[in-house]
Amino acid sequence: MPVEVTWWGHATCTVEDSGVRVLTDPLFVRRLAHLRRRRGELPPPMAAVAEVVLVSHLHSDHMHPPSLARLAPGTRLVVPRGAQRAVPALRRLDRLRITEVVPGDEVAVEGVVVRAVPALHDGRRMPWGPHRSPALGYVIQGSVRTYFAGDTGLFDGMAAAVGPVDVALLPVGGWGPFLGHGHLDPDRAAHVLAVLAPRAAVPVHYGTYWPIGMDAIRPHEFHSPGDEFTRKAARLAPGVTVHRLAHGESVRPEVDR
């Protein structure tokens, strides 16, 4: 069975491989603090159905306990080490099977193996949390190898740390007019493609949430990252097929192993 990727918006994706549904960084709300969802309908209830859920880091737009509370009892939840200590609300989700990991750890779930890999990003619970939990990416190994980068910058040794992958889900923007350290913009994300050399890529983490009252400030940072990434990837990584999805859209990338 080919891998199928669905982008629900922001960093929330479903990767279905070998009959296993893997959900990434679920965020199922229209408003989060000062952010509101400006594009795309909220994910339907079926988006919360998964055998395993991956959380890349503890920022509230990635580690969101009210969204995690929608998961079915017994769902495997993979989080960075120290997450339960740093996020008290997570400890109350005791009906989930929570596994804390660091880079190099592997978690087997039915027909897939999830491997945690490093990310260059501030992984603590913001804004005052201590630096105790790593930011992570994950490689989902089933019929193909799918890399979910979470939030990350391009770092030395990235290709070796991530390993060979067939499909890359890469952040290409953010939720505000300016990107800080430890993020990928369209240009840096295209350079990551050149380094990792997957067969296919899906841009994520853009064009979904934006600060309330800032619609007119640098709006291109909301609207354009997907198209910019596609153009830059064609130049820097011409061997990679980029699938720019709409919210709720799915794709089955053609990957030759």
Side-chain angles (χ1 to χ4, degrees):
M1 177 184 295
V3 66
E4 182 175 84
V5 176
T6 303
W7 182 47
W8 302 111
H10 202 52
T12 306
C13 303
T14 295
V15 178
E16 186 165 0
D17 192 335
S18 304
V20 178
R21 288 172 61 92
V22 182
L23 177 64
T24 67
D25 287 353
L27 187 58
F28 298 145
V29 292
R30 190 164 300 282
R31 179 171 175 176
L32 176 66
H34 64 299
L35 305 179
R36 67 179 175 91
R37 188 173 181 120
R38 287 190 57 199
R39 180 184 289 167
E41 296 298 321
L42 287 177
M46 63 169 289
V49 177
E51 280 70 47
V52 58
V53 177
L54 311 178
V55 171
S56 62
H57 61 289
L58 304 190
H59 292 176
S60 57
D61 58 323
H62 295 258
M63 162 72 77
H64 187 245
S67 294
L68 296 175
R70 301 188 187 186
L71 303 174
T75 301
R76 173 74 69 186
L77 175 62
V78 181
V79 299
R81 184 178 62 189
Q84 295 176 91
R85 178 176 57 179
V87 186
L90 187 59
R91 299 197 293 268
R92 295 194 286 272
L93 299 178
D94 54 4
R95 59 194 181 85
L96 304 178
R97 296 184 296 156
I98 300 176
T99 301
E100 296 192 352
V101 296
V102 296
D105 287 347
E106 295 185 347
V107 179
V109 181
E110 299 182 17
V112 305
V113 174
V114 174
R115 176 169 53 90
V117 300
L120 177 62
H121 193 69
D122 184 346
R124 61 182 166 168
R125 189 67 166 178
M126 299 296 280
W128 301 290
H131 290 275
R132 291 177 178 166
S133 295
L136 302 172
Y138 295 97
V139 176
I140 304 158
Q141 301 174 131
S143 62
V144 304
R145 297 159 299 201
T146 302
Y147 171 48
F148 169 64
D151 263 355
T152 188
L154 175 60
F155 56 91
D156 291 341
M158 190 174 193
V162 173
V165 293
D166 304 296
V167 180
L169 313 182
L170 294 182
V172 300
W175 51 253
F178 300 98
L179 285 175
H181 177 69
H183 290 87
L184 297 176
D185 62 10
D187 183 69
R188 292 192 292 268
H191 279 86
V192 169
L193 284 192
V195 169
L196 298 182
R199 297 299 301 160
V202 176
V204 302
H205 204 271
Y206 77 99
T208 309
Y209 291 92
W210 202 251
I212 294 170
M214 298 183 68
D215 293 8
I217 299 176
R218 294 172 60 86
H220 62 283
E221 297 292 350
F222 179 86
H223 293 286
S224 67
D227 288 333
E228 288 185 18
F229 170 71
T230 301
R231 291 194 299 270
K232 292 177 182 295
R235 177 171 57 85
L236 295 174
V240 182
T241 300
V242 175
H243 301 276
R244 191 177 69 80
L245 303 181
H247 293 80
E249 187 177 4
S250 301
V251 66
R252 292 185 173 182
E254 294 185 6
V255 177
D256 294 326
R257 292 290 298 268

